[in-house]
Amino acid sequence: CPAAPPESALATSAPCVHAGAPVSLAVRVLVVDDEPSVLELQMAILDSLGATAVGVEGGAEAVRHLESREVDLIVSDLKMPGPVSGKDLFRWVESNRRSAVSSFLFVTGDTIGETAFLEQARVRCVRKPFTLEEYVSALRETLQAPQHAA
């Protein structure tokens, strides 16, 4: 897979190839990012991998989604404007969906001041800008992590 596919490449429906084999993720994913272009990119990648993804632009909308639906993976920006940041969303998941804590992945361009939180929470984090390989690898690692007890 190219490191950073051009936008025109995102329209293709062929699965991504990693280490010579097609990568397929038949999972339900909630993607949370306040940057529409980053949200759209992640949705296109997940769609090409066969995932069923829902994208929302903020933490409050993510909480509403999680209150009524189950997901296999939550991919969230860390710092977002509004009443519910990525850190707040993670804490909501810790309190309300404990089994989903190990299925949480942060995608962020800014970890300044958040290192202690990320280490304490033990949540995987992909830094923006990311390569396609880094993103897919982080998705797979997160999905393969042992589930925490509810």
Side-chain angles (χ1 to χ4, degrees), residues 6-7 99 118 142:
E7 285 191 40
S99 63
L118 290 169
T142 304

Side-chain angles (χ1 to χ4, degrees):
C1 292
E7 285 191 40
S8 61
L10 297 177
T12 65
S13 60
C16 180
V17 176
H18 184 266
V23 174
S24 178
L25 298 176
V27 294
R28 297 163 296 174
V29 184
L30 175 62
V31 182
V32 189
D33 202 302
D34 62 306
E35 295 179 65
S37 62
V38 176
L39 180 62
E40 185 177 312
L41 173 63
Q42 292 182 73
M43 295 295 291
I45 292 168
L46 289 162
D47 182 58
S48 76
L49 298 172
T52 302
V54 172
V56 297
E57 293 185 3
E61 191 176 353
V63 167
R64 285 192 296 276
H65 181 85
L66 291 168
E67 287 176 331
S68 62
R69 294 173 192 89
E70 294 290 326
V71 297
D72 301 305
L73 182 63
I74 302 164
V75 181
S76 178
D77 192 358
L78 181 59
K79 294 188 176 182
M80 296 180 287
V84 182
S85 68
K87 186 191 305 188
D88 297 330
L89 175 60
F90 179 79
R91 288 186 175 137
W92 184 90
V93 169
E94 278 185 312
S95 297
N96 297 280
R97 289 281 176 92
R98 186 75 186 146
S99 63
V101 167
S102 64
S103 301
F104 208 102
L105 171 65
F106 281 116
V107 176
T108 187
D110 183 10
T111 58
I112 295 173
E114 301 298 343
T115 305
F117 165 74
L118 290 169
E119 287 175 3
Q120 182 270 330
R122 291 186 271 159
V123 176
R124 283 178 179 73
C125 185
V126 175
R127 300 248 352 196
K128 296 176 190 174
F130 52 82
T131 66
L132 187 55
E133 185 175 273
E134 290 169 333
Y135 186 77
V136 172
S137 177
L139 293 172
R140 294 180 83 184
E141 288 172 11
T142 304
L143 287 166
Q144 292 170 358
Q147 296 295 311
H148 293 193

